[in-house]
Amino acid sequence: SMYFRGQQILKALLAKLKQPEYGLGHAKQVLLTGCSAGGMSTYLHADTVKAEVANPALTRYKVAALSGFFLDHPTAAGAPVTDDNYHYMFHMQNMSGGVNQACVAAHSSSPAMCSTPQANYAFVKSPFFVMNSMLDAFQMGHILQVGCASLARCNATQIQEMKDYQQSFRTTITSIGTLSAPGNGGFLYNCDVHCGEQSSDGFNKFAVPRMNGAADERTLMQAALTAWWASDESAAEEHTYIEPCTLTGARPCNPTC
């Protein structure tokens, strides 16, 4: 038999870290983060973790999700991929009690949607900063399944498919109210990497203009995250950076990639 106890493991781990020798029980500031699958988990568990680590000394709790927004999108050939995978995972692991319950209530006819970052993001209440490539290399290979290993090897049709994916990514995430809620923000770039936020080259090099700002005034990823972390309930527009350019050929249009 197989038993899935992810929720219990998460709570047990947090309980352990709250013991005096580890300090989480009296932490004044907490940043929850993770990349790829860990980034996806921040969308699913941001508010649960906040409730678990709450203590009288806690003055700042925020969440930064790295490369965890996996778009619900068909393959380049038009075949569904994410719906089937998430639906199977939700029921196989009996995730109904381990995801955001506000999401489950809102999608009572199809609660499996709440195993996706895209559906959960709309219900996250904790201050949240999205960091993601809109041309994430993992998503190009496993969701879009574009069929070329790198931009230099992509033909014109594949480049157009990737451009369409980037636009879909941008339209989807900007249509979710969480991105524009006070205290939130994001850094959405289009370099063909996965978890570029964890590399020194990406974190200290990738730069993107502020949303609705001048295209030639770019802010480094590190500076954007630092400014958001230090802010309070400021307008999300002050901390939202989205790459406006799209692919024009076999190289990223962002010169900092």
Side-chain angles (χ1 to χ4, degrees):
S1 299
M2 294 181 66
Y3 298 90
F4 295 94
R5 291 292 184 264
Q7 187 79 344
Q8 290 86 345
I9 292 171
L10 174 61
K11 291 185 176 182
L13 175 62
L14 292 172
K16 181 70 173 180
L17 293 175
K18 287 190 289 184
Q19 293 179 4
E21 62 265 38
Y22 299 107
L24 185 60
H26 53 265
K28 296 179 180 179
Q29 300 184 84
V30 173
L31 175 63
L32 177 68
T33 189
C35 195
S36 194
M40 173 180 161
S41 294
T42 63
Y43 290 92
L44 274 62
H45 302 300
D47 296 336
T48 296
V49 173
K50 181 179 182 181
E52 291 289 331
V53 303
N55 73 81
L58 186 65
T59 60
R60 185 179 301 271
Y61 173 87
K62 292 190 173 188
V63 183
L66 318 181
S67 295
F69 193 93
F70 297 101
L71 193 62
D72 185 1
H73 193 281
T75 67
V81 55
T82 49
D83 278 353
D84 290 346
N85 290 340
Y86 283 121
H87 187 273
Y88 171 75
M89 180 174 67
F90 183 87
H91 291 288
M92 186 265 291
Q93 298 183 10
N94 187 22
M95 295 174 63
S96 57
V99 295
N100 191 305
Q101 294 304 293
C103 180
V104 172
H107 297 286
S108 57
S109 62
S110 184
M113 290 181 61
C114 298
S115 59
T116 70
Q118 189 168 317
N120 272 270
Y121 185 43
F123 299 93
V124 175
K125 302 300 181 185
S126 303
F128 204 99
F129 195 76
V130 179
M131 304 175 75
N132 223 108
S133 171
M134 296 178 285
L135 291 175
D136 183 284
F138 179 88
Q139 297 189 45
M140 294 302 98
H142 294 83
I143 296 179
L144 185 60
Q145 299 179 22
V146 69
C148 48
S150 64
L151 283 176
R153 298 181 179 180
C154 296
N155 60 37
T157 298
Q158 293 166 325
I159 292 291
Q160 185 59 52
E161 290 167 345
M162 295 169 74
K163 289 174 65 174
D164 292 343
Y165 191 94
Q166 177 184 341
Q167 183 57 49
S168 180
F169 194 109
R170 176 178 178 136
T171 299
T172 298
I173 201 164
T174 56
S175 70
I176 300 172
T178 309
L179 182 66
S180 58
N184 292 347
F187 190 95
L188 303 173
Y189 55 105
N190 63 356
C191 306
D192 57 332
V193 296
H194 181 61
C195 285
E197 307 87 6
Q198 288 189 325
S199 72
S200 58
D201 284 345
F203 192 61
N204 298 307
K205 176 184 173 185
F206 295 164
V208 168
R210 182 176 278 111
M211 185 172 67
N212 302 323
D216 60 346
E217 295 180 4
R218 295 179 173 271
T219 300
L220 289 171
M221 182 187 293
Q222 182 273 337
L225 178 64
T226 299
W228 167 78
W229 168 255
S231 68
D232 293 315
E233 293 294 310
S234 53
E237 187 172 346
E238 296 180 21
H239 300 289
T240 302
Y241 307 82
I242 303 181
E243 180 56 62
C245 73
T246 58
L247 292 174
T248 55
R251 291 185 60 82
C253 61
N254 183 336
T256 67
C257 288

